[in-house]
Amino acid sequence: MYKKFYEFGLSDSVLSSLSDMGFEEPTPIQKITIPLILNGQDIVGQAQTGTGKTAAFGIPIIEKGKRSKVPYAIVIVPTRELAVQVAQELNKIGQKKGILSVPIYGGQSIERQFLSLKKGVDIVVGTPGRVLDHIRRKTLILREIKITVLDEADEMLNMGFIEDIKKILKEITEQRQTLLFSATMPQEIRNIAMKYMNHPENVYVNASDMVVAKIKQVFYEVREEDKMKALTRLLDVEDPSLTLIFCHTKREVDDISGKLQQMGYYAGAIHGDFTQSHRDEVMGKFRKGEIDILVATDVAARGLDIPDVSHVINYSIPQDPDGYIHRIGRTGRAGKSGIALTFITPREYRQLRLIEQTAKTKIKKAQLPTKDEVKKARADEVIADLGQEISKGKHSKYISLVGELSDKYSSQDIAAAALSIMFGDMADDIEDLGEKHQGTRSGFVRLFMTIGRKDKIKVVDIVRSISAEAGIPANKIGNIALFDTFSFVEVPSDLADRVVSAINNVMLHGRKVKVQHAREKR
Ligand code: ADP
Ligand code: MG
């Protein structure tokens, strides 16, 4: 088997570009596909994100091409971000050889794309809709196309582009080489391969050999309402360099990124509602480390090459196993190790097991950091900061002041007092996670009450009122969870209706309270 890039018989110009890019050795999928593609083989390549698929097709395509006016290769990708990113990578590989790649995607002025296509492009990288658009307008000339690549085919399928892809493939001449890459291989993708490809060679790089093996995967059982607190605890204790947080919905993304920002974390958000330029801006800040937490939906993060993400956090469990692979593939890229943390609510165990089975991976259960661990992590950070301050000599302007104080106090007292002014109580904002209240006790049901902390009510007040109004002994009342504007009360199932009718619409603590059976959590 080939080991080094030069053993593929690549030209000096390509080898020199690769060395400029810092590629020392081909990745496993590159080792297999480069010689096959150079040979003219059709390929169906399956390997998860971060395994270097772009260069796996990019290197041989550029090796085989020559600078011309009309495109000889076309790469179809699911999103505009990916179009830009793949074109960039291809331009780097083709830099010394002078092979030009251009991204075309919806949202960018079609006239501008028109012009660059006219000026002469060697490789077109585009999203399905926009490529079709250019084909129809005859602004994209297909007659010289010798190689077609479908990148992230499963994503294109998920995004409903399958018909567009078939149309494009039909337009392109029969005498072509077709390469298809996908992290997963659903049946529809296999069908495309059978119908439109010429005896494709199946290339499969085993997930367990690859990135997943290098990613530490754990899950935490967290109730929906505790997720935010759990998240900040983890961020404090794990001290990640760059974190990507995945959510189901755009609203969740807004909500979580907003809360994190309020709490002083450097967080940004991307989802489909933002304009392209806003997304580019956020991504730029993330790459530069100006923000170190990015909250995203699956769609927005699709295919993005974000270097050095140390942690992927699944704030919401991915909808399906493929989604999980895609998400955690954002860390542990190109041989680096990474950490993937997943929150699941008690009802999501089945989904978790399905992910483990399908993705052939093991996700271990872990306990959230305790308050003490958070405190310790914060203390460590203070110690590290102080050490840095001293080693940089930034503290020197205060030394004479400390000198004056040391006539009266010990240096320990002075330093501790200074820290106390700066940080207050280091742990008083670490909220409880309600660990004791996991799930409703058997024989009990949960009631929802429209009164909470803001009404200055306490647990004892609620117990006393229920006991008095419904005429049941206080010790029969189960756990009570107080929130700002509402609370949950566990009562024995057989007494629940009695409590509801006794308390509903009754004045408690000067407020009329509504009580009803709590909806089961998601
Ligand atoms: P995939 O398409 O499989 O998700 P990419 O093609 O986006 O992966 O590659 C992931 C990252 O790894 C990119 O930053 C890419 O530049 C880098 N990379 C690819 N091949 C190599 C290599 N042989 N050596 C070092 N880095 C590589
Ligand atoms: Mg890719």
Side-chain angles (χ1 to χ4, degrees):
M1 170 87 37
Y2 296 92
K3 276 274 154 58
K4 300 277 182 198
F5 281 117
Y6 64 80
E7 289 174 85
F8 297 122
L10 299 171
S11 57
D12 288 345
S13 55
V14 171
L15 285 175
S16 153
S17 297
L18 292 178
S19 127
D20 284 355
M21 293 166 78
F23 289 13
E24 288 169 359
E25 216 182 77
T27 65
I29 186 127
Q30 291 163 3
K31 283 182 190 161
I32 305 170
T33 59
I34 292 173
L36 291 172
I37 299 172
L38 287 173
N39 248 331
Q41 264 284 329
D42 275 12
I43 279 188
V44 173
Q46 185 179 4
Q48 63 186 112
T49 349
T51 53
K53 291 192 285 293
T54 316
F57 62 77
I59 293 169
I61 288 177
I62 283 158
E63 180 64 36
K64 284 162 76 131
K66 61 173 195 290
R67 180 87 181 97
S68 50
K69 285 274 163 208
V70 192
Y72 72 91
I74 182 162
V75 182
I76 318 280
V77 297
T79 64
R80 41 195 174 180
E81 280 89 355
L82 206 52
V84 171
Q85 203 172 286
V86 168
Q88 260 168 12
E89 180 116 333
L90 296 182
N91 276 324
K92 284 187 200 154
I93 301 170
Q95 213 235 331
K96 293 278 159 63
K97 194 166 174 181
I99 299 280
L100 182 67
S101 303
V102 166
I104 57 172
Y105 47 84
Q108 191 194 38
S109 124
I110 200 152
E111 278 73 30
R112 222 175 97 195
Q113 294 173 355
F114 197 86
L115 275 179
S116 53
L117 288 172
K118 230 172 145 185
K119 264 195 255 160
V121 170
D122 304 302
I123 304 175
V124 168
V125 185
T127 50
R130 189 49 75 98
V131 166
L132 258 188
D133 209 0
H134 279 287
I135 293 177
R136 289 200 187 107
R137 291 165 188 248
K138 304 217 177 338
T139 43
L140 177 62
I141 299 157
L142 299 173
R143 91 180 108 81
E144 296 292 322
I145 298 282
K146 298 194 176 58
I147 307 172
T148 307
V149 183
L150 303 176
D151 192 16
E152 310 231 350
D154 49 349
E155 288 305 333
M156 297 203 273
L157 174 73
N158 291 342
M159 294 170 80
F161 286 140
I162 205 83
E163 290 309 316
D164 286 354
I165 286 165
K166 288 182 188 164
K167 279 184 205 148
I168 295 170
L169 290 175
K170 273 185 207 137
E171 290 286 334
I172 299 172
T173 145
E174 286 292 307
Q175 297 295 337
R176 64 174 186 255
Q177 185 177 6
T178 309
L179 313 171
L180 184 154
F181 290 88
S182 201
T184 57
M185 281 293 156
Q187 191 55 44
E188 289 95 325
I189 302 289
R190 289 178 211 277
N191 293 345
I192 291 231
M194 273 191 327
K195 181 139 188 244
Y196 296 92
M197 295 175 73
N198 182 18
H199 304 292
E201 182 92 17
N202 286 299
V203 175
Y204 176 75
V205 176
N206 192 337
S208 59
D209 299 344
M210 292 298 311
V211 187
V212 167
K214 295 209 169 70
I215 300 176
K216 179 185 156 203
Q217 301 170 66
V218 300
F219 76 88
Y220 302 93
E221 189 187 317
V222 188
R223 299 183 310 165
E224 200 63 47
E225 59 267 36
D226 283 338
K227 279 185 175 178
M228 197 64 212
K229 293 176 219 158
L231 177 64
T232 53
R233 275 196 193 187
L234 284 172
L235 290 172
D236 287 350
V237 171
E238 293 265 325
D239 193 22
S241 48
L242 279 185
T243 308
L244 191 54
I245 300 175
F246 280 104
C247 301
H248 277 327
T249 62
K250 301 180 212 175
R251 272 199 47 195
E252 207 171 45
V253 168
D254 288 336
D255 186 39
I256 289 155
S257 57
K259 282 183 183 150
L260 287 174
Q261 285 162 359
Q262 277 170 19
M263 286 186 270
Y265 293 92
Y266 295 99
I270 52 166
H271 61 58
D273 282 356
F274 296 140
T275 60
Q276 183 62 23
S277 67
H278 180 78
R279 284 201 263 177
D280 290 345
E281 191 189 314
V282 174
M283 283 308 303
K285 282 188 183 164
F286 192 58
R287 287 211 181 83
K288 280 183 265 169
E290 285 168 28
I291 53 176
D292 50 20
I293 300 169
L294 186 65
V295 190
T297 55
D298 292 281
V299 178
R302 208 155 269 166
L304 285 182
D305 177 27
I306 302 153
D308 293 329
V309 174
S310 60
H311 290 64
V312 167
I313 300 180
N314 295 309
Y315 191 88
S316 309
I317 193 170
Q319 248 106 357
D320 57 74
D322 293 352
Y324 182 80
I325 297 179
H326 274 287
R327 284 179 177 191
I328 74 164
R330 309 284 128 203
T331 184
R333 313 204 89 191
K336 297 195 186 85
S337 60
I339 294 175
L341 312 174
T342 302
F343 288 168
I344 68 160
T345 61
R347 301 169 143 255
E348 290 167 338
Y349 269 95
R350 254 191 45 207
Q351 242 166 302
L352 184 82
R353 298 299 166 222
L354 183 70
I355 289 173
E356 284 192 309
Q357 276 166 22
T358 317
K360 297 196 177 48
T361 184
K362 182 92 191 96
I363 310 171
K364 282 200 205 108
K365 181 165 184 166
Q367 296 301 327
L368 284 165
T370 61
K371 272 188 173 185
D372 281 344
E373 283 167 323
V374 178
K375 220 159 125 179
K376 168 87 171 56
R378 289 185 181 174
D380 286 348
E381 206 172 316
V382 171
I383 291 170
D385 285 354
L386 288 175
Q388 254 198 359
E389 197 81 1
I390 295 173
S391 70
K392 284 191 194 146
K394 277 174 142 182
H395 66 312
S396 49
K397 47 188 175 292
Y398 287 105
I399 285 185
S400 61
L401 186 62
V402 175
E404 279 172 42
L405 279 168
S406 55
D407 295 343
K408 268 171 104 179
Y409 308 103
S410 78
S411 45
Q412 253 186 17
D413 280 337
I414 298 167
L419 290 178
S420 170
I421 290 171
M422 271 182 71
F423 297 107
D425 180 343
M426 281 218 291
D428 68 356
D429 63 328
I430 310 173
E431 290 180 85
D432 279 321
L433 278 170
E435 280 99 342
K436 283 172 294 187
H437 313 287
Q438 302 275 0
T440 310
R441 265 202 267 166
S442 69
F444 279 73
V445 293
R446 284 194 337 147
L447 300 180
F448 174 81
M449 295 177 65
T450 57
I451 192 164
R453 264 193 217 113
K454 285 217 167 113
D455 306 300
K456 305 226 172 347
I457 196 158
K458 298 199 201 79
V459 168
V460 284
D461 302 327
I462 293 181
V463 172
R464 200 181 303 128
S465 311
I466 291 178
S467 165
E469 299 287 338
I472 59 174
N475 63 10
K476 288 236 160 170
I477 298 167
N479 287 323
I480 296 181
L482 264 186
F483 294 86
D484 280 350
T485 55
F486 57 88
S487 40
F488 289 109
V489 181
E490 286 178 9
V491 295
S493 317
D494 51 334
L495 296 174
D497 289 335
R498 188 157 134 199
V499 174
V500 172
S501 55
I503 303 280
N504 196 27
N505 289 325
V506 163
M507 298 291 284
L508 274 192
H509 233 66
R511 255 179 53 97
K512 194 162 166 189
V513 179
K514 298 251 178 244
V515 183
Q516 62 189 59
H517 285 262
R519 228 171 315 153
E520 272 302 322
K521 278 168 286 175
R522 281 198 285 144

